[in-house]
């Protein structure tokens, strides 16, 4: 009985088909690849998306929020900075007008400067 051939082995090829293989010509089994995930490669926290999807609003709405949220914050910040610069220019111009009017002239100029100062105090 020792002269019997080795049993034929059936293997599955990578394309999904099956074939007969000689055990002597098969490659040695390989160890599975180990996945190492470093902390800086961790996925982002998706708690907000999970809560939103749990409420049933849909993935499109979540994606729009993820995309347009930071865009909206940037736009509002830009507008706030622009308005602050305009306010600073207005304050500097008013201070300059009051200073010039006071330095130029007589009683009428001083009264006009006081009137401008009263108006600016009321607006604050």
């Amino acid at each position: 009985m020792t002269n019997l051939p080795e049993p034929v082995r059936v293997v599955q090829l990578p394309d999904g088909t099956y074939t007969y293989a000689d055990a002597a010509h098969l490659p040695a089994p390989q160890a599975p690849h180990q996945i190492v995930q470093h902390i800086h490669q961790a996925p982002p926290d998706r708690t907000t998306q999970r809560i939103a999807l749990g409420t049933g609003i849909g993935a499109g709405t979540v994606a729009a929020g993820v995309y347009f949220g930071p865009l909206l914050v940037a736009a509002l910040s830009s507008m706030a900075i622009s308005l602050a610069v305009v306010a600073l220019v207005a304050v500097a111009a008013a201070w300059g007008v009051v200073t010039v009017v006071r330095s130029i002239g007589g009683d009428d100029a001083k009264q006009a400067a006081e009137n401008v100062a009263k108006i600016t105090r009321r607006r604050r």
Side-chain angles (χ1 to χ4, degrees):
M1 287 242 170
T2 59
N3 58 357
L4 290 176
E6 213 173 295
V8 178
R9 187 167 166 196
V10 177
V11 294
Q12 185 178 11
L13 297 175
D15 63 356
T17 59
Y18 293 92
T19 187
Y20 295 105
D22 184 10
H25 294 93
L26 286 177
Q30 296 178 350
H33 294 290
Q34 185 179 9
I35 298 174
V36 178
Q37 186 174 17
H38 299 286
I39 193 156
H40 64 274
Q41 295 172 336
D45 183 25
R46 292 196 168 89
T47 306
T48 306
Q49 288 92 330
R50 287 188 184 120
I51 292 171
L53 289 174
T55 60
I57 61 173
T61 308
V62 173
V66 169
Y67 179 77
F68 289 113
L71 197 64
L72 179 63
V73 169
L76 291 176
S77 300
S78 176
M79 286 188 284
I81 291 170
S82 298
L83 289 174
V85 169
V86 168
L88 181 67
V89 169
V91 166
W95 176 78
V97 167
V98 169
T99 303
V100 167
V101 168
R102 280 185 182 164
S103 66
I104 287 178
D107 296 331
D108 292 335
K110 289 182 183 177
Q111 185 60 40
E114 288 176 12
N115 290 341
V116 170
K118 286 178 188 177
I119 291 172
T120 57
R121 276 190 228 129
R122 286 184 202 156
R123 289 186 182 171
R124 288 189 229 169

